[in-house]
Amino acid sequence: MNARIEDYAVIGDEQTAALVGTDGSIDWLCLPRFDSGACFARLLGDEDHGHWRIAPRGAGTCTRRGYRSDTLVLDTEWDTPEGTVRVTDLMPQREHAPDVVRIVEGVSGRVTVRSTLRLRFDYGSVMPWMRRSDGHRVAVAGPDAVWLRTEPAVRTWGEDFGTHSEFTVAEGERVAFVLTWHPSHEPRPKLVDPFRALSGSVRDWRRWAARCRYRGPYRDLVVRSLITLKALTFAPTGGIVAAATTSLPEELGGVRNWDYRYCWLRDSTLTLGALLAAGYHAEAEAWRDWLLRAVAGDPADLQIMYGLGGERRLPEWELPWLPGFGDSAPVRVGNGAVDQLQLDVYGEVMDSLFLARETGLSTRPHMWSLQVALMKFLESAWRQPDEGLWEVRGGRRHFVHSKVMVWAAADRAVRTLETYPELQGDLDAWRRMRDEVHEEVCAKGFDTKRNTFTQYYGSRELDAALLLIPQVGFLPADDPRVVGTIDAIRADLDHGGFVRRYDTDAVGVDGMPGGEGAFLACSFWLAQALHRIGRADEARQLFERLAGLANDVGLLAEEYDPDLGCQLGNYPQAFSHIALVNTALTLFGGEEAG
């Protein structure tokens, strides 16, 4: 595959998402949910693993493309010797069944357009039986059924295990394709009007985007990030997936390929803060409620991630028939890190619920009792080593960031009781715990010779998550230890002017071969940290460089490789877009657009 990750745009219906390439091909789509098996998996293989391309006959990469302003509706255009044609892609909000709508429109001249559809269920491993029914095409295999129809009707035929169409559009003419999935044991769903779906989607997205109350610089990029977060939301539950994909590599040709189609607790506070600050209280409340449902139960069983509905079992396995993006194997489904102990998630949950209460989100009757249970568990468990924020597979350690977030959990519990004395809790015990954790971290997690906090107790390695120390309030931004940590991270974890998470070459810590790119969220954190210590010009310069990494439609993956000049990791990445929004709010939140 010659495509780059940033060659893709995303469309979605808040229950799943599709990636559309610059060549007009949908190369990734899981139906009916983000975490379902893919029916188009060319992204991780080749054409025989499923894709759907609509483009002028013989054409390659498009001439231009872009989202209609403040929407998730994508327009892709080709200029050809015969004229110009546009393909508009969207997934309308579903009533029952998911639909992919692709509208071909003649802009000028007369252009011959070709559609090639290869459906392959279960991540490219199952070829369906395709037949005609009621003038439409229907593909069936096991539990999956997909219908293809056009308006107006155009001729389709089968060839090379695919379904093909070829037709000509003149200026002003439109032909719509609609792909609809449903369980194969159920009757065909109600037909969607593709042209009405287009106008309705544009209207609904623009109404939603208009609610954004940020008016500072880079507003278009902030709104695009918020739309992307909305697209990564599983509307029925309010959960937000980390990305729409699995196994896009953190190193081309490497093995660091993970499934990100789940909901991480590490994102909770930052997500909640971004939504609330931008004015999206309903979405913030839905995310908070998902969080409460997901973590309910024995505090000892708290997981670092959950499924879209709060599912706990996310077993990891490999798909050997897929060679991987850029031959980056293995391709994985599920995520074995679900079984790790990460003490920082207790801090994330406590901080999120504290923020929700302080910002006026409606409370839930069981919210505080859940927080008390988490704190009772953490009172003894915090002394254990863990796998840390980055889910290392090299064994447990006393990671400093994890302990800082334990401190944050105790601090939020104390501050809640101080503000709401009618609530029940062991205030004195939590104050003692807060002080003890703080003292231990400063004694065991700080390198006095280099004036920096370290990745774990007694180590020399650094961790970009330490940039969050002033943000969570562990130390003030002007504390010399904070400034020293920022400078050390900037020097030691630099990668082409951006920031790596940690040193992947450190013996035994990571537990995985190979390396990775610069981590975009961490680079945004550095910009925020620089701003907090008074280096506003440096913070803005870094933010501008990071904003420049977004592709032509404003999307970011997890990482960036400065040497190859390309994005890496799963895509589009919620963590990167959350960090972009929060950094813009930190740097420019008090400014008006110029």
Side-chain angles (χ1 to χ4, degrees):
M1 172 175 286
N2 296 319
R4 303 174 304 164
I5 291 171
E6 56 264 46
D7 288 339
Y8 289 95
V10 66
I11 59 173
D13 64 358
E14 295 182 64
Q15 295 192 44
T16 191
L19 296 190
V20 187
T22 53
D23 62 350
S25 180
I26 297 179
D27 289 346
W28 182 256
L29 174 61
C30 300
L31 291 172
R33 305 186 350 161
F34 290 107
D35 57 353
S36 300
C39 63
F40 300 139
R42 182 189 180 206
L43 181 72
L44 301 176
D46 56 35
E47 292 185 351
D48 287 333
H49 294 114
H51 75 114
W52 183 15
R53 184 170 189 237
I54 300 180
R57 183 177 59 189
T61 301
C62 67
T63 307
R64 59 193 159 270
R65 66 174 180 173
Y67 290 110
R68 298 196 183 183
S69 63
D70 290 350
T71 78
L72 202 66
V73 175
L74 179 70
D75 288 324
T76 305
E77 295 185 355
W78 288 262
D79 295 334
T80 75
E82 293 74 32
T84 298
V85 68
R86 175 187 304 123
V87 176
T88 299
D89 290 318
L90 67 142
M91 293 188 70
Q93 291 293 308
R94 70 175 79 168
E95 294 182 9
H96 302 291
D99 298 288
V100 179
V101 175
R102 315 195 72 184
I103 299 174
V104 182
E105 181 177 1
V107 178
S108 66
R110 292 182 60 85
V111 182
T112 300
V113 177
R114 188 176 181 97
S115 168
T116 300
L117 171 69
R118 287 189 173 90
L119 282 162
R120 301 291 187 268
F121 296 126
D122 195 21
Y123 303 101
S125 66
V126 176
M127 185 182 299
W129 172 47
M130 181 73 78
R131 59 184 173 85
R132 292 185 184 272
S133 178
D134 297 332
H136 305 159
R137 291 271 183 168
V138 57
V140 177
D144 299 296
V146 168
W147 291 75
L148 175 69
R149 63 186 177 90
T150 62
E151 290 189 18
V154 298
R155 188 176 76 88
T156 62
W157 72 92
E159 180 183 332
D160 297 331
F161 304 106
T163 300
H164 304 265
S165 305
E166 191 169 288
F167 54 95
T168 300
V169 289
E171 181 178 345
E173 294 181 343
R174 295 194 297 179
V175 175
F177 288 75
V178 181
L179 188 82
T180 304
W181 178 95
H182 68 94
S184 59
H185 65 277
E186 295 181 0
R188 183 188 67 187
K190 180 182 177 181
L191 301 181
V192 65
D193 182 323
F195 305 108
R196 185 174 297 174
L198 171 59
S199 60
S201 291
V202 169
R203 179 191 65 243
D204 292 345
W205 275 111
R206 286 178 175 165
R207 284 177 178 171
W208 188 86
R211 291 166 47 199
C212 176
R213 63 188 184 196
Y214 175 75
R215 294 292 183 268
Y218 294 93
R219 186 177 189 277
D220 288 347
L221 199 55
V222 169
V223 171
R224 177 54 49 197
S225 290
L226 289 166
I227 289 173
T228 303
L229 291 178
K230 181 73 167 171
L232 294 173
T233 300
F234 187 65
T237 66
I240 301 175
V241 297
T245 59
T246 181
S247 299
L248 289 181
E250 297 173 10
E251 178 185 41
L252 286 177
V255 300
R256 298 170 184 263
N257 317 315
W258 314 108
D259 194 346
Y260 273 23
R261 297 171 300 157
Y262 308 111
C263 307
W264 264 255
L265 298 191
R266 72 174 185 189
D267 304 358
S268 58
T269 303
L270 299 175
T271 302
L272 198 64
L275 292 171
L276 288 169
Y280 292 99
H281 283 248
E283 289 76 10
E285 193 161 273
W287 168 247
R288 189 278 314 273
D289 288 347
W290 174 89
L291 182 66
L292 285 172
R293 293 191 302 271
V295 305
D298 187 343
D301 296 330
L302 190 70
Q303 298 183 180
I304 67 170
M305 74 183 84
Y306 295 85
L308 306 177
E311 298 90 348
R312 293 173 177 252
R313 298 191 184 278
L314 310 174
E316 181 179 304
W317 74 95
E318 298 177 3
L319 308 181
W321 61 87
L322 288 174
F325 185 95
D327 292 323
S328 305
V331 171
R332 296 182 175 92
V333 169
N335 200 308
V338 71
D339 296 321
Q340 289 187 351
L341 172 66
Q342 292 184 18
L343 293 173
D344 65 284
V345 299
Y346 293 86
E348 296 288 357
V349 173
M350 291 295 294
D351 196 17
S352 294
L353 299 181
F354 175 81
L355 177 62
R357 190 185 299 273
E358 290 297 296
T359 52
L361 290 186
S362 61
T363 59
R364 296 290 183 260
H366 61 287
M367 191 165 81
W368 179 246
S369 61
L370 172 64
Q371 291 178 267
V372 171
L374 293 175
M375 287 305 302
K376 287 182 177 178
F377 171 77
L378 204 54
E379 284 181 56
S380 58
W382 76 266
R383 294 178 177 82
Q384 301 178 43
D386 71 342
E387 274 91 2
L389 173 71
W390 304 126
E391 299 158 20
V392 297
R393 300 196 177 194
R396 294 181 178 179
R397 287 173 166 77
H398 290 283
F399 286 101
V400 173
H401 172 263
S402 295
K403 306 300 187 186
V404 168
M405 292 311 298
V406 167
W407 174 90
D411 177 72
R412 287 5 174 216
V414 168
R415 290 165 63 186
T416 299
L417 284 179
E418 290 174 343
T419 306
Y420 304 96
E422 68 275 11
L423 297 176
Q424 300 298 311
D426 195 339
L427 181 59
D428 291 338
W430 295 342
R431 280 175 175 157
R432 288 193 299 272
M433 174 183 167
R434 181 177 64 175
D435 293 343
E436 185 180 354
V437 175
H438 198 281
E439 181 179 354
E440 180 178 294
V441 169
C442 292
K444 297 182 179 180
F446 186 77
D447 185 333
T448 56
K449 292 182 179 179
R450 292 188 297 157
N451 190 35
T452 181
F453 286 95
T454 59
Q455 186 179 29
Y456 56 93
Y457 290 174
S459 72
R460 288 188 55 80
E461 288 78 27
L462 302 180
D463 185 338
L466 301 171
L467 294 167
L468 297 174
I469 284 176
Q471 183 170 321
V472 302
F474 184 83
L475 287 172
D478 59 357
D479 189 291
R481 292 167 292 183
V482 170
V483 177
T485 300
I486 293 170
D487 287 336
I489 288 172
R490 201 175 184 187
D492 288 13
L493 297 183
D494 176 80
H495 189 13
F498 303 107
V499 180
R500 295 175 295 152
R501 294 186 293 179
Y502 53 88
D503 184 2
T504 56
D505 294 329
V507 177
V509 175
D510 189 276
M512 299 291 294
E516 62 181 27
F519 203 79
L520 296 182
C522 295
S523 302
F524 280 114
W525 295 346
L526 175 59
Q528 294 181 51
L530 290 170
H531 179 84
R532 287 189 172 93
I533 64 174
R535 301 178 187 174
D537 289 342
E538 295 175 54
R540 290 189 178 215
Q541 290 170 10
L542 178 54
F543 180 86
E544 289 168 0
R545 292 188 62 215
L546 285 162
L549 298 182
N551 71 351
D552 58 319
V553 291
L555 300 181
L556 292 168
E558 183 180 29
E559 300 179 4
Y560 179 74
D561 187 328
D563 299 325
L564 297 177
C566 64
Q567 296 192 31
L568 295 172
N570 284 303
Y571 177 86
Q573 176 77 212
F575 214 29
S576 299
H577 286 282
I578 292 164
L580 185 152
V581 173
N582 283 326
T583 306
L585 290 166
T586 299
L587 271 58
F588 312 117
E591 299 184 17
E592 293 296 321

